[in-house]
Amino acid sequence: MHKVAHSGVTVHAGINIALVKYWGKVDSKQNLPAVGSVSLTLSEPGTTTTVRFDPALDEDVFELDGVTSVDPRVSALLDGVRQAASSTRRASVQSVNTVPTAAGLASSASGFAALGLAAWRAAQLPVHGPGSGFDLSPNANFDPRLLDLVRRGSGSAPRSLLGGFARLEAGTGALSAVRPDGEWDLRLVIGLTVAGPKPWSSRDGMDLSKETSPYYDAWVASHPADLDAACDAIRRRDLRALGEVMEHSTLKMHACMLATRPPLRYWASATLAALDVIDTLRRDGILVYATMDAGPHVKALCAAVDADRVREALSPVCRQVLVCQPGPGAVPGASL
Ligand code: DP6
C-alpha cells in the first residue's frame, strides 16, 4: 500500500495543437480515439497546477484561476489516482491557466496533462519506468494507468505530456515522441478571431459526427496515411510537406463536421478572412499553413524567421495574435 504524501507537487504543461487531427472515438466510455493524431506542444499558453493530498480534507477542493470550481472530470481523475495509490485522501488542486481569458482557446489538454502528472506524483506513484526520474525523456514510457486517466479527462491531453511533436495512436491511445522541442525552429501563430462559447463541445460533436456524418467513415479510413506522411515530414523537417498534409487533415475534419446533423460549423467569417491572409502570404513565397480545431480560431505554422510577418498580416483580421514556440511538455513548475 502506498503512503500518500501531504506535500504538494506542481506541474506546468503547455497547450498542444494537432497538426493531424483527432476527431471521433472507438469507445466513448474509455474515451479511446478512432483516429490517431500528431501535435506540437507549445511552451505557452498553458496550465500550472499544484496538487496536495491532505488527510485533513473531507472532500476534494478544486480552484481554477482563483475561483472554486466543480468539474466531474477532475474528480474522476483524482478518484483514479487514489485507486492506483490505494488511498482515500482527498486533494486540494490549484490551477492557473495562461490561456487568454475568454479567448475560447481550449485549455483542457494542458489542464489534464498538468493535473494528471501533478496528482500522480503527489500520490508518489511512478510516472514511468525505473531510473528515469522526474525529467521526461522524449520517449518517456508513461505508466499506462496515468495515460489512461489523462486521456479520459481529454482525448488530446496526453499529447501535452510530451514536448515537441507527439503522436497518439488510434484505438489504443499509445503515446510516442516524434521529435522533441528545440530541434526545429518553428512557430505557431495563433489568430484569435471571435470570442464566445463553442456551439458544440468536442465530446458531443464527435459523437454526432460518428452517428450522422456521411463523411465520417471516409475521414477515419483516409486518416492513417495523413498521420504517417506528417510524421515522416516532421522527421525530415520538411515544412512544405508537413504544412500540406496538415491543411488537408483540418479541412477533411471540418468537411466531416459540416456534414454532421445538425451541422457543426465552428468557423466564423473572421476564420475565412484569416485563411485568405494565409493564402496570400503563401503566394508571396512564405511557407505558412493553417489549422483549425473545434472553434473559430486559426493557427498558422511557419518558420521562426517568418513569424513576425505572419503576425503582422493576421493582426488586422484577428482580435489578438499570439506567437507561440514549441515547448517541453509537462515539467515541474513553481508551487502555486
Ligand atoms: C478538434 O480532446 O477536446 O481539437 O476527448 O472529447 O475531450 P475529448 O475531446 P478533445 O478534442 C480535441 C479535438 C480537436 C482536434 C485535436 O486536438 O486533435
Side-chain angles (χ1 to χ4, degrees), residues 253-265:
M253 178 182 76
H254 283 277
C256 173
M257 290 164 160
L258 285 166
T260 299
R261 288 190 156 175
L264 307 174
R265 183 177 66 82

Side-chain angles (χ1 to χ4, degrees), residues 41-320:
T41 299
L42 307 176
S43 57
E44 289 288 348
T47 308
T48 302
T49 297
T50 299
V51 178
R52 284 182 196 85
F53 285 100
D54 184 345
L57 286 174
D58 295 330
E59 54 185 35
D60 294 326
V61 183
F62 173 41
E63 210 178 81
L64 179 60
D65 293 329
V67 179
T68 303
S69 309
V70 178
D71 185 334
R73 288 187 292 170
V74 170
S75 319
L77 188 147
L78 293 170
D79 285 343
V81 172
R82 275 188 284 267
Q83 197 183 356
S86 305
S87 163
T88 54
R89 282 190 188 177
R90 302 288 129 182
S92 96
V93 177
Q94 280 171 291
S95 254
V96 172
N97 276 328
T98 54
V99 180
T101 32
L105 198 61
S107 56
S108 61
S110 55
F112 281 102
L115 172 68
L117 187 56
W120 200 256
R121 293 284 310 181
Q124 296 182 331
L125 289 160
V127 173
H128 32 63
S132 8
F134 192 70
D135 288 330
L136 307 176
S137 71
N139 272 306
N141 199 11
F142 289 100
D143 187 315
R145 297 170 302 170
L146 168 60
L147 279 185
D148 188 64
L149 288 176
V150 170
R151 190 198 65 246
R152 284 168 189 260
S154 186
S156 51
R159 301 185 312 228
S160 277
L161 290 170
L162 284 178
F165 295 92
R167 174 173 172 152
L168 268 188
E169 303 303 328
T172 61
L175 176 70
S176 59
V178 184
R179 185 178 271 287
D181 72 310
E183 281 196 359
W184 191 8
D185 213 7
L186 295 181
R187 294 291 179 271
L188 256 169
V189 182
I190 302 184
L192 299 169
T193 54
V194 291
K198 295 200 256 188
W200 299 94
S201 73
S202 299
R203 207 148 276 210
D204 295 344
M206 285 186 208
D207 288 344
L208 276 176
S209 288
K210 186 176 178 178
E211 283 161 24
T212 67
S213 176
Y215 299 159
Y216 182 80
D217 289 345
W219 157 250
V220 173
S222 63
H223 195 283
D226 296 344
L227 195 57
D228 287 343
C231 290
D232 189 50
I234 292 165
R235 285 190 201 100
R236 289 186 286 108
R237 287 190 242 198
D238 183 339
L239 180 54
R240 187 186 299 272
L242 177 60
E244 282 176 13
V245 72
M246 169 184 135
E247 284 201 347
H248 182 57
S249 176
T250 197
L251 293 173
K252 257 192 324 196
M253 178 182 76
H254 283 277
C256 173
M257 290 164 160
L258 285 166
T260 299
R261 288 190 156 175
L264 307 174
R265 183 177 66 82
Y266 289 105
W267 296 5
S269 50
T271 312
L272 287 169
L275 289 176
D276 282 347
V277 166
I278 287 167
D279 278 350
T280 305
L281 284 168
R282 216 152 56 210
R283 273 201 296 276
D284 290 349
I286 307 231
L287 290 184
V288 53
Y289 300 89
T291 186
M292 286 75 63
D293 292 299
H297 308 308
V298 174
K299 293 116 185 183
L301 185 71
C302 63
V305 288
D306 293 325
D308 277 345
R309 174 111 187 250
V310 174
R311 180 178 50 75
E312 277 162 24
L314 283 173
S315 289
V317 298
C318 294
R319 294 170 65 234
Q320 197 182 347

Side-chain angles (χ1 to χ4, degrees), residues 3-54:
K3 249 183 119 209
V4 173
H6 191 168
S7 61
V9 172
T10 303
V11 169
H12 175 81
I15 63 166
N16 74 75
I17 303 298
L19 310 179
V20 171
K21 302 295 191 187
Y22 146 56
W23 190 255
K25 304 166 199 283
V26 274
D27 183 331
S28 299
K29 265 217 175 97
Q30 296 187 65
N31 206 28
L32 279 168
V35 291
S37 53
V38 63
S39 58
L40 181 60
T41 299
L42 307 176
S43 57
E44 289 288 348
T47 308
T48 302
T49 297
T50 299
V51 178
R52 284 182 196 85
F53 285 100
D54 184 345

